[in-house]
Amino acid sequence: MSIPSGAPAAAPRVPEAVHRRRWAILGVLMFSLLIIVLDNSILNVAVKTIASPAPTGIGATQSELEWAINSYTLVFAGLLFTAGLLGDRLGHKKVLLGGILVFGLGSALAAFSASPGELITWRALMGLGAAFVMPATLAVLMNVFERDEQPKAIGIWAGGVGLGIAIGPITGGLLLEHFWWGSIFLVNVPVVIVALIAMAVLVPDSRDPAPGRVDPLGVVLSIVGLVLLVYGIIRGGELASFTDVTVLAPSIGGLVVLAVFVRHEKRSAHPSIDMSSFRKPAFSAAVAAIALVFFALMGVTFFSAFYLQSVRGYTALESGLLILPLAAAQMIFSPGARLVVDRFGARAVCTVGMLLVAVGLAAFALFGADTPLWVLCVVFFVQGTGMAHIMPPVTVAVMQALPRERAGSGSAINNTFRQVGGALGIAVLGSVLSTVYRGDIEGHLAGVPAAARDAASGSIEGTLGVAERMGPAGKPLIAAANDAFIGAMHVTALGSAAVALVGAAVVAAFLPGRTPASQEGPTQARQPAGEPARRS
């Protein structure tokens, strides 16, 4: 990029050899990220198949399905922060390669699980690998792009999430139509092999040159606190109650340990994280927005698979195709979100994005058993458009608030809040769905044998399974199950929309507005003074 003669020049912080291949590196990072996102989106369309009895599935109950999702989340969220710290100290490339290798091993083992318990275990191993991959991708990105190109790169990176959301359900649907359910995990293995080779060749290593002493107490406190908190949240969703002692004890314990962690970090001479960052309203609002939007969306994502497949009768592939507009909107709008922010400011853009997400979620409260498909597609597209104008700006706000050398820690904070928010969404909104459904369906179980009544009231899949075994006498129960699920979905959707509105209020109040042109600093050159322009 050439600059006018006489303009101030600043030496680039990224080596020229790395700068020249920065877009190829971004492609590799997106490929690595794709593995993580693709796996979760594949699992969302496969839950019905996995819940089926053998040999179609492994007969997982709704609770076991939630744990198959949440064992991954528990390990992922609990270790994200530690993984980011290790990346800053050991090198982001090393932890990225190690994380992808572990993720690939977990995927291969999950594919051949013989029971729900095995699947839950290997999903936890996949979460361990993913915890090291996710922060490292953003950390490497921050170290291979100059500051003025980072918003564009993060927008493309966020668009890669949309690509994973698009490819996952479609790939999962195709695999489930032609192969056994384990193929949705086995497909990760060749992707992992290609990613490992590409990263070894292209991705440079980076780390904090002066990391200081390791803070072992802070690391232990962060892991224990996050694991206890996320476990309590998940347990609450499993029991559909947040007053049980097995929910309150770990949840409160996790919050207490995290409070001790914060106090320790403030007093430590070598803290794992600089808590002063949270005193910046824009930083705190950005991480809160991440948590709130994923709280709202993850709960809806979980029940939408049952709505599309159990109530509407679509196959896994058809369900994946219906989610395509959401992914397409993210792919289309995420890379250009920075231009909209430049014009209108992060506050206005993220507020409107949150409102679009709220509108999309509230629309589920109007869905019925025969809602036209084009309406579903429009709603998913609106949701994706909102997400595309939230995630890139708030991710930029979090990552640029910390020094480049602490990029792993910044990425870990970003992803920790996202995972905790998502786990809360699945647990809280899932328990709301389960409670409302159980209350509605119990009045229709008079003709169901006593031995099957508990299974029939637990979930729509349980009810439909009992109704199928009852033969013609079960037809009225099928209609009642569909009505009860749709009613529960309406309540849950309104709760999700309310959370998104809270997120809109937070970003409207605390994110910065548009910077006046007169206050914007001069564009810094990327080449050292005296050298001819050579970067573009």
Side-chain angles (χ1 to χ4, degrees):
M1 179 176 69
S2 60
I3 58 174
S5 178
R13 299 188 62 187
V14 179
E16 178 63 24
V18 173
H19 183 84
R20 279 198 300 265
R21 64 177 192 268
R22 66 196 186 283
W23 297 111
I25 293 170
L26 178 59
V28 175
L29 296 177
M30 288 177 61
F31 197 60
S32 306
L33 179 68
L34 183 65
I35 303 171
I36 309 293
V37 179
L38 182 144
D39 174 76
N40 276 323
S41 56
I42 279 182
L43 187 58
N44 284 332
V45 301
V47 288
K48 187 176 184 296
T49 303
I50 295 174
S52 302
T56 303
I58 52 176
T61 65
Q62 181 164 326
S63 174
E64 288 168 337
L65 286 173
E66 289 183 8
W67 271 108
I69 294 172
N70 287 322
S71 63
Y72 177 95
T73 302
L74 181 66
V75 176
F76 190 11
L79 294 180
L80 267 172
F81 185 70
T82 300
L85 292 175
L86 289 176
D88 288 339
R89 283 168 168 75
L90 302 178
H92 300 121
K93 180 176 181 176
K94 293 185 183 69
V95 300
L96 185 58
L97 288 168
I100 291 210
L101 188 61
V102 171
F103 185 87
L105 176 63
S107 298
L109 292 169
F112 297 99
S113 299
S115 68
E118 288 187 16
L119 177 60
I120 291 168
T121 300
W122 302 133
R123 285 279 297 165
L125 183 63
M126 293 170 68
L128 172 64
F132 285 84
V133 173
M134 186 67 84
T137 58
L138 261 182
V140 171
L141 182 153
M142 299 300 288
N143 280 283
V144 301
F145 284 90
E146 299 288 2
R147 187 177 180 87
D148 61 338
E149 279 191 323
Q150 287 170 0
K152 179 180 179 180
I154 287 174
I156 296 172
W157 180 88
V161 175
L163 181 63
I165 293 172
I167 293 176
I170 297 171
T171 304
L174 287 171
L175 289 171
L176 291 172
E177 285 198 354
H178 296 92
F179 303 100
W180 98 113
W181 67 268
S183 62
I184 66 170
F185 297 112
L186 198 61
V187 72
N188 292 334
V189 175
V191 181
V192 164
I193 293 172
V194 173
L196 285 171
I197 295 171
M199 281 189 293
V201 173
L202 289 172
V203 175
D205 205 0
S206 56
R207 70 182 74 186
D208 187 345
R213 291 169 54 195
V214 176
D215 177 22
L217 179 58
V219 168
V220 171
L221 288 172
S222 69
I223 293 174
V224 173
L226 285 169
V227 168
L228 283 175
L229 176 60
V230 175
Y231 174 80
I233 292 167
I234 292 170
R235 181 65 175 162
E238 183 182 16
L239 297 178
S241 170
F242 287 87
T243 57
D244 189 274
V245 66
T246 60
V247 177
L248 290 176
S251 299
I252 295 174
L255 290 172
V256 169
V257 173
L258 289 175
V260 174
F261 167 72
V262 171
R263 184 178 178 84
H264 168 74
E265 293 300 293
K266 287 181 176 179
R267 295 186 169 190
S268 176
H270 46 88
S272 298
I273 180 174
D274 184 3
M275 288 296 170
S276 64
S277 299
F278 288 91
R279 298 195 191 113
K280 303 172 185 176
F283 181 89
S284 294
V287 294
I290 291 169
L292 289 169
V293 76
F294 273 89
F295 178 101
L297 279 173
M298 286 302 290
V300 171
T301 300
F302 183 73
F303 72 65
S304 65
F306 289 99
Y307 168 69
L308 293 172
Q309 295 182 47
S310 299
V311 177
R312 301 298 298 267
Y314 296 117
T315 65
L317 176 58
E318 290 167 340
S319 298
L321 291 171
L322 285 171
I323 299 174
L324 195 58
L326 185 148
Q330 289 195 59
M331 293 171 59
I332 292 168
F333 295 115
S334 289
R338 78 191 193 285
L339 302 176
V340 186
V341 171
D342 289 344
R343 181 174 178 84
F344 299 105
R347 179 191 302 160
V349 173
C350 289
T351 301
V352 172
M354 278 287 194
L355 291 175
L356 287 175
V357 170
V359 168
L361 294 172
F364 273 87
L366 303 175
F367 287 0
D370 55 358
T371 300
L373 288 183
W374 69 267
V375 175
L376 296 178
C377 293
V378 169
V379 168
F380 282 132
F381 190 83
V382 168
Q383 286 182 340
T385 301
M387 286 289 293
H389 290 89
I390 298 169
M391 296 313 298
V394 296
T395 302
V396 169
V398 171
M399 296 304 296
Q400 291 193 344
L402 298 175
R404 185 193 297 260
E405 293 77 16
R406 305 298 300 275
S409 298
S411 179
I413 293 170
N414 178 78
N415 287 294
T416 297
F417 274 81
R418 183 176 70 177
Q419 289 300 317
V420 172
L424 266 171
I426 292 174
V428 175
L429 298 176
S431 67
V432 170
L433 182 76
S434 177
T435 301
V436 176
Y437 178 81
R438 186 185 295 269
D440 287 348
I441 198 63
E442 282 182 345
H444 300 274
L445 300 179
V448 176
R453 191 164 297 178
D454 187 58
S457 64
S459 68
I460 186 172
E461 280 301 303
T463 309
L464 294 178
V466 170
E468 185 177 349
R469 290 194 294 273
M470 292 172 64
K475 287 186 178 180
L477 185 57
I478 293 175
N482 289 338
D483 290 342
F485 184 87
I486 290 173
M489 182 181 73
H490 290 170
V491 174
T492 309
L494 292 176
S496 303
V499 172
L501 289 175
V502 172
V506 169
V507 298
F510 298 109
L511 281 187
R514 183 175 179 272
T515 304
S518 60
Q519 295 181 17
E520 293 176 358
T523 302
Q524 287 187 335
R526 303 229 180 106
Q527 63 277 354
E531 290 189 16
R534 68 187 189 284
R535 296 185 179 183
S536 57

